[in-house]
Amino acid sequence: MTDFTRTRAAFHLPEGVTYLDGNSLGPMPVAATARVADMMRDEWAEQLIRGWNSAGWYAQPRRVGDRIARLIGAGEGQVVMGDTLSIKVFQAVSAARALRPDRRVILSDSGNFPSDLYVAEGLAGAVDAELRVVRPEEVADAITDDLAVLMLTEVDYRTGRRHDMAALTARAHQAGALAVWDLAHSAGAVDVDLLGVDADFAVGCTYKYINGGPGAPAFIWTHPRHSDAAAPILQGWMGHAAPFAFDLDYRPAAGIERMRVGTPPVIAMTALDAALDVWDGVELADLRARSIELSEAFITGVQENCPDLVLNSPRHPAQRGSQVSFLHPQGYAVMQALIAEGVIGDFRAPDVLRFGFAPLYNDVSDIERAVDTLARILRDGSWDDPRFHQRAKVT
Ligand SMILES: *Cc1c(COP(=O)(O)O)cnc(C)c1O
């Protein structure tokens, strides 16, 4: 059994704050401060350029990738870290499309995160492909024989709706297409099994449920059947077979290493490495069970105590990730009032109040406080104060 008392204690949770926004930015692992300070002092300061070898910086993207692999059902040597998720989406979709050169269509859904759709649209324009976007519930029927790539985010960032990865991947394969999965709201949140569902490519970020810190590097996974055939497209020197030969011609490295682009963010990856220590000993089945327990308690509590809010997530836990959202016409102001009371969730336009449940550090006391506070500010109308209506740049 996973010890969630230990994992909760491993985070710095600010005094007086109930944090339900780990789906946007996870809290800081206590150990990250010293780990980054040690790295700066012992490695950067003392070893200087030698640190690429002596401190293992060059191998870090693969070493940390192996630690992510366990959380997403991938094997050793199949995951590499680097860049931002948007860039990894580009790499995965472009490589998948290049494996189906006789087909033009990239299919996604309107519940996908805009950056993924923008990236695919830009790619489609550059390589004479077509981005087709349907509603999430229409995806299965839209998988047709002209499809090159199915590009989906497993868990919808607004509703928390979870696609059936196994079924949709199988359907894409039957149609002769490849499946690219974005795990931004899945990795560290639900029990992902990439090899089990037979996906082709997957990408994700590490600053949400994995708690790697703002701007922590993204990851990319390629199924081993593609990893020596996939064309990286973004051909950077660190994905070269012999980066320090400084050849004028590009030759991709073997396997997942070719998905590296340029110099990795070593300091950020050191903080991420500290965050991954907390995951040691966490069983994904326990994670999923606790996530369901927390989100069910929240939904029940809100439905009983906040009649003004409308559930915007699937009611059945099997169809959800680890976040839940509710609608309110003045959602922005309600969320600002809630944050002012120390309960942090977030708002997504136009009217979505979003709450993430991170089993590593959230417990039932967080749920009780969040429900009580939300019910109170809705009942007494205190959310309708002019200061809560002023929009900040990041919402
Ligand atoms: C959070 C998120 C992103 C963010 O991409 P970055 O390049 O890391 O800013 C992209 N896609 C999805 C599905 C996300 O949830």
Side-chain angles (χ1 to χ4, degrees), residues 102-360:
D102 51 333
R103 296 183 176 203
R104 293 184 66 245
V105 178
I106 300 166
L107 177 68
S108 192
D109 73 47
S110 53
N112 207 340
F113 191 73
S115 198
D116 297 41
L117 298 175
Y118 302 157
V119 163
E121 188 189 350
L123 173 72
V127 301
D128 186 32
E130 174 197 337
L131 173 65
R132 205 173 274 171
V133 179
V134 300
R135 292 205 309 263
E137 57 278 16
E138 295 169 345
V139 168
D141 289 337
I143 298 174
T144 45
D145 285 346
D146 57 351
L147 200 62
V149 183
L150 175 65
M151 174 193 84
L152 295 173
T153 295
E154 185 191 13
V155 177
D156 186 306
Y157 75 106
R158 275 181 300 208
T159 63
R161 188 239 344 100
R162 187 181 188 187
H163 273 307
D164 186 337
M165 272 179 77
L168 291 173
T169 299
R171 203 153 167 154
H173 288 171
Q174 275 158 21
L178 297 179
V180 175
W181 288 98
D182 188 328
L183 304 177
H185 295 283
S186 310
V190 297
D191 45 345
V192 183
D193 185 10
L194 285 173
L195 289 168
V197 304
D198 201 31
D200 296 290
F201 292 86
V203 294
C205 55
T206 59
Y207 49 80
K208 294 174 179 164
Y209 290 93
I210 295 179
N211 316 303
F219 64 83
I220 184 166
W221 170 83
T222 302
H223 192 286
R225 69 175 160 260
H226 301 305
S227 57
D228 284 326
I233 315 286
L234 269 180
Q235 302 184 161
W237 73 299
M238 289 213 172
H240 194 280
F244 291 89
F246 298 106
D247 290 343
L248 293 185
D249 298 324
Y250 181 78
R251 266 184 304 125
I256 194 66
E257 193 85 16
R258 64 182 52 194
M259 293 300 176
R260 293 179 69 160
V261 182
T263 304
V266 179
I267 301 172
M269 222 176 323
T270 301
L272 169 61
D273 203 23
L276 286 163
D277 288 350
V278 185
W279 287 96
D280 288 344
V282 174
E283 295 299 329
L284 294 190
D286 297 341
L287 186 85
R288 179 68 174 146
R290 188 165 156 103
S291 153
I292 290 174
E293 181 193 336
L294 295 173
S295 20
E296 284 292 295
F298 185 73
I299 293 175
T300 309
V302 170
Q303 289 188 326
E304 280 172 6
N305 296 287
C306 309
D308 298 342
L309 298 183
V310 176
L311 182 65
N312 187 42
S313 299
R315 186 62 194 86
H316 198 290
Q319 292 160 10
R320 293 195 307 263
S322 200
Q323 65 195 48
V324 165
S325 66
F326 283 89
L327 305 179
H328 185 286
Q330 293 295 329
Y332 184 79
V334 174
M335 183 52 78
Q336 298 321 301
L338 193 61
I339 293 171
E341 295 284 332
V343 178
I344 303 182
D346 66 16
F347 167 79
R348 285 293 174 260
D351 55 359
V352 178
L353 296 161
R354 198 169 67 144
F355 303 90
F357 305 100
L360 253 46

Side-chain angles (χ1 to χ4, degrees), residues 4 8 27 52 79 100 107 154 243 280 289 343 355 385:
F4 288 113
R8 183 173 168 102
W52 289 104
V79 176
R100 291 289 178 274
L107 177 68
E154 185 191 13
D280 288 344
V343 178
F355 303 90
D385 186 293

